Amino acid sequence: QEVETQTMSLIVQKFGGTSVADVEKIQAAARKAIRAQRAGHRVVMVVSAMGKNTDALLGLAAEISDQPPAREMDMLLSTGEQVSVALVAMAIDALGSKAVSLTGGQIGMKTDNSFSRARIQSISTERIERLLDQGHIVVAAGFQGTDDDLNITTLGRGGSDTTAVALAAVLGADSCEIYTDVDGVYTTDPRRLPEARRVEVISYDEMLELASLGAGVMHNRSIEFAKKFGVPIHVRSSFSDTSGTMIVAEPESTSQPVSGAAMTADEARVTVLGVPDVPGKSYQVFSAIAERKVAVDMVVQNVGKAGRADISFTVPRGELTATLQAVESVMDEVGADGLTHDDQVSKVSVVGMNMASQTNVAARMFRALADASVNIQMITTSEIKISTLVARSDATLALRAVHDAFSLHQKPSDAKTWSQIKAERGERADVDALVSRLRNDALEALTLTGISVTDHQARITLHGVPDYPGIAADMFETIGAAGIFVDMIVQGYDGEDAATSVSFTVDADAVAKSLEVARAIYKQHQMRDVQGTGDIAKVTVSGIGLRSHTNVATKLFHELAESDINVEMINTSELQVNAVIDAKFASTAAERLKVAFAPALH
């Protein structure tokens, strides 16, 4: 029996609220777990509150108090999962199998004391493993844990997904099955574009970027866990036997530059105009926003002129008021000239693991938007993502245009299945050493994978870029045709004449050729001026959890400011924060950042 237990595979199955919304669905979930157990697996279920149960509890709280204490809200909301797990365990028992339901505290889920958005610190697995050894299906409450004082805490949005993947990580599960009301991950939201295609495989990095862009299938915290511990996630429908989507380390295709497109409809743009172009100003602006717990997304700091620069960034539309209050509180201290905003904008992005190794991906995207007569207001790029800001009224049109441009509705000719990927790489890598090392640490702590410097870089900036469709496409098609490989692209407001400015970085050896091409573009479109310098470097902080740990960019700006290093360009993504600085400060910046982020570096 002992040998058999050790060799049996372990599966974690997570059922969301819609999957346990009524008695019939609870019974269906119970049958899925029993089938898996009878197929030879040990099974842990993670269950959310039934259907609209959480909404009903929130409604009750609102009737009692306008500002209920956060601790009591967690106490209240955690009861939703307690109801679900008990009913699911009863259903399994009624169907002739053994089950035990456990709350977050009973499964040993230890968190910090940040009520309503707690982070997981450790999970004690002894009780779960003992029950599994005894032949039980363990039905664990998602979304909740306890702190050091045994207060009940909740994990916030996507908390049950996070619970499921965290349990799969510490238990060394073979996979984590996420049962939901959709049948997998699509190339874009199928409710917006019916032609969207379900993908069989998507990489952690691609899914992280898509999750941060509002693809509602999985929450980013759960993907961060899966990436950190190498847990394969299987997204499946609760209501059909469709094969679903595997979220793993590898992408579906090694040739397709783009694997998905996303649109975040309700965005707002804020531009701080005329910021003195000296060290520390980015830090002052973003630390004020971070204090309000607002997550900043697209960040564009254009190259300064006449000693001043403009900083533009996006925030969720619902957090615009709080953001403006934060920025206004430091305007005098920063010494900026003004502040503008626009809440009628949306973000349209493309994501793909193979983007970094292929040229002209940005030009293809920009040409697709130009052909659809969609104007681009801002651009940011990262290794695997290109994001554009467009008018809200153009957002769906823009999404369809880029989805079509990269033929995302068609399966790539070299698309691989999960079985093929497994066969190529062998079974899942042993992560016991990593789990044991982190089991006594904060499981959900920020994990940085590296701090690097890309030197020998050059930067070209075009000021006074006309603000109408097609300009970006013309520019980057011309640059691509000249055989110039572009790294970062940043477009933001120029602060003058309703124009924009566009900066891009290239290898220093290409600076002369790039300037020649840029001057031709500048003359063709009657821009204001063109600048170039070869004395820059890109400092990059890479890691898992940059989105959910909102202070990474702020800390980067703080450390550079303390070293009296000015930031010339910024861009951010789910996996990286990049800052372009003067090349002579590159090694100083890297060393300072390695010391500052040492506890998180792995």
Side-chain angles (χ1 to χ4, degrees):
Q1 176 64 39
E2 186 66 30
V3 173
E4 185 185 339
T5 299
Q6 288 175 355
T7 56
M8 285 174 72
S9 64
L10 191 153
I11 291 177
V12 175
Q13 297 182 327
K14 180 260 177 179
F15 293 87
T18 53
S19 304
V20 291
D22 55 38
V23 170
E24 288 180 5
K25 288 173 181 171
I26 285 171
Q27 290 169 331
R31 283 193 291 272
K32 284 186 191 295
I34 292 169
R35 278 204 301 273
Q37 190 188 48
R38 288 179 181 166
H41 304 293
R42 298 196 293 166
V43 180
V44 176
M45 299 174 77
V46 173
V47 181
S48 299
M50 293 173 67
K52 301 293 183 183
N53 185 297
T54 302
D55 291 340
L57 294 173
L58 288 167
L60 282 172
E63 288 183 42
I64 296 289
S65 169
D66 290 337
Q67 290 185 308
R71 180 193 181 278
E72 305 310 329
M73 283 302 296
D74 279 11
M75 180 72 87
L76 175 69
L77 295 180
S78 67
T79 63
E81 280 71 24
Q82 199 166 328
V83 170
S84 297
V85 292
L87 291 173
V88 169
M90 290 176 193
I92 292 169
D93 179 77
L95 290 165
S97 292
K98 296 196 298 182
V100 174
S101 65
L102 299 174
T103 65
Q106 289 170 333
I107 62 173
M109 176 79 71
K110 186 64 66 70
T111 75
D112 63 19
N113 60 1
S114 304
F115 296 112
S116 83
R117 55 175 183 273
R119 288 189 185 279
I120 300 169
Q121 293 185 323
S122 63
I123 303 173
S124 173
T125 59
E126 289 80 3
R127 185 172 186 180
I128 292 176
E129 286 169 337
R130 186 173 71 248
L131 289 166
L132 290 170
D133 290 348
Q134 293 166 359
H136 292 90
I137 293 171
V138 175
V139 188
F143 178 63
Q144 60 179 257
T146 56
D147 68 10
D148 286 338
D149 292 327
L150 298 182
N151 294 305
I152 294 174
T153 56
T154 65
L155 305 182
R157 186 168 159 247
S160 291
D161 284 348
T162 305
T163 300
V165 179
L167 277 173
V170 296
L171 290 166
D174 293 80
S175 75
C176 180
E177 299 180 345
I178 305 288
Y179 285 96
T180 180
D181 54 355
V182 297
D183 60 357
V185 178
Y186 281 74
T187 50
T188 196
D189 186 344
R191 292 167 299 184
R192 296 188 190 278
L193 296 189
E195 63 267 34
R197 177 179 66 87
R198 181 175 58 81
V199 298
E200 288 186 47
V201 175
I202 192 166
S203 71
Y204 297 130
D205 288 356
E206 290 166 333
M207 195 66 229
L208 268 171
E209 294 290 9
L210 290 169
S212 76
L213 296 166
V217 178
M218 293 287 296
H219 194 249
N220 60 321
R221 277 170 68 184
S222 57
I223 308 296
E224 288 168 6
F225 252 115
K227 177 177 160 109
K228 191 184 291 189
F229 294 104
V231 177
I233 298 178
H234 193 176
V235 181
R236 308 185 69 175
S237 169
S238 299
F239 314 121
S240 76
D241 289 325
T242 309
S243 58
T245 300
M246 292 299 303
I247 307 173
V248 292
E250 298 88 343
E252 178 187 47
S253 158
T254 54
S255 65
Q256 183 88 333
V258 169
S259 61
M263 185 251 280
T264 314
D266 296 319
E267 292 284 282
R269 174 196 54 80
V270 177
T271 301
V272 188
L273 298 165
V275 176
D277 195 14
V278 295
K281 297 304 177 182
S282 301
Y283 172 67
Q284 288 176 327
V285 171
F286 292 113
S287 60
I289 297 167
E291 282 174 15
R292 307 283 180 119
K293 305 294 185 196
V294 174
V296 172
D297 185 21
M298 292 175 80
V299 179
V300 171
Q301 176 171 321
N302 281 324
V303 175
K305 56 187 187 299
R308 300 263 166 177
D310 299 331
I311 302 175
S312 296
F313 53 90
T314 60
V315 294
R317 192 178 179 202
E319 296 184 348
L320 176 61
T321 301
T323 304
L324 292 174
Q325 288 171 351
V327 177
E328 284 164 357
S329 71
V330 294
M331 283 290 282
D332 289 344
E333 184 184 349
V334 170
D337 292 338
L339 183 64
T340 68
H341 66 273
D342 182 357
D343 65 358
Q344 295 299 309
V345 290
S346 297
K347 182 174 58 189
V348 174
S349 308
V350 293
V351 170
M353 282 278 281
N354 304 313
M355 197 182 285
S357 60
Q358 299 195 26
T359 56
N360 294 336
V361 179
R364 273 175 74 183
M365 180 182 185
F366 302 154
R367 176 52 61 198
L369 294 175
D371 289 346
S373 299
V374 174
N375 191 35
I376 301 170
Q377 299 183 19
M378 278 171 67
I379 300 167
T380 61
T381 62
S382 75
E383 296 282 316
I384 68 166
K385 180 178 72 174
I386 302 167
S387 290
T388 58
L389 199 68
V390 302
R392 200 159 177 244
S393 56
D394 289 337
T396 301
L397 177 66
L399 181 66
R400 174 164 279 120
V402 298
H403 195 272
D404 289 349
F406 292 102
S407 303
L408 292 179
H409 57 288
Q410 294 175 345
K411 190 173 183 176
S413 57
D414 66 337
K416 289 178 181 170
T417 64
W418 171 227
S419 299
Q420 289 171 316
I421 289 171
K422 268 206 301 189
E424 287 175 9
R425 74 171 183 180
E427 288 303 309
R428 179 179 166 222
D430 180 16
V431 295
D432 287 350
L434 180 58
V435 172
S436 62
R437 181 160 62 85
L438 289 175
R439 193 168 270 174
N440 296 318
D441 192 4
L443 280 172
E444 226 179 334
L446 173 69
T447 301
L448 295 184
T449 52
I451 291 167
S452 61
V453 172
T454 309
D455 50 18
H456 200 62
Q457 294 285 289
R459 187 252 314 146
I460 310 295
T461 300
L462 290 149
H463 287 295
V465 178
D467 193 18
Y468 54 76
I471 298 291
D474 285 351
M475 287 172 61
F476 289 99
E477 283 171 352
T478 305
I479 292 162
I484 298 165
F485 188 83
V486 173
D487 181 14
M488 283 172 66
I489 301 172
V490 159
Q491 175 189 350
Y493 276 73
D494 206 8
E496 293 182 36
D497 307 325
T500 66
S501 72
V502 176
S503 296
F504 59 92
T505 61
V506 295
D507 188 273
D509 291 340
V511 67
K513 192 174 186 181
S514 300
L515 267 173
E516 184 184 326
V517 172
R519 287 192 183 104
I521 294 168
Y522 147 77
K523 287 177 183 171
Q524 180 189 349
H525 292 287
Q526 299 179 325
M527 298 176 189
R528 196 160 55 248
D529 64 40
V530 57
Q531 300 172 348
T533 176
D535 301 321
I536 61 161
K538 180 175 73 172
V539 180
T540 302
V541 178
S542 306
I544 304 168
L546 300 191
R547 177 80 51 191
S548 54
H549 293 77
T550 53
N551 65 337
V552 174
T554 309
K555 192 169 184 177
L556 173 110
F557 299 145
H558 175 257
E559 294 302 323
L560 295 178
E562 288 291 299
S563 298
D564 209 31
I565 299 171
N566 198 28
V567 177
E568 294 188 17
M569 288 167 63
I570 304 164
N571 72 12
T572 59
S573 79
E574 190 65 34
L575 303 157
Q576 291 184 338
V577 179
N578 294 308
V580 169
I581 62 173
D582 191 313
K584 65 175 176 280
F585 298 122
S587 57
T588 304
E591 289 309 311
R592 177 148 192 147
L593 291 172
K594 282 172 184 171
V595 171
F597 286 110
L601 276 167
H602 289 277

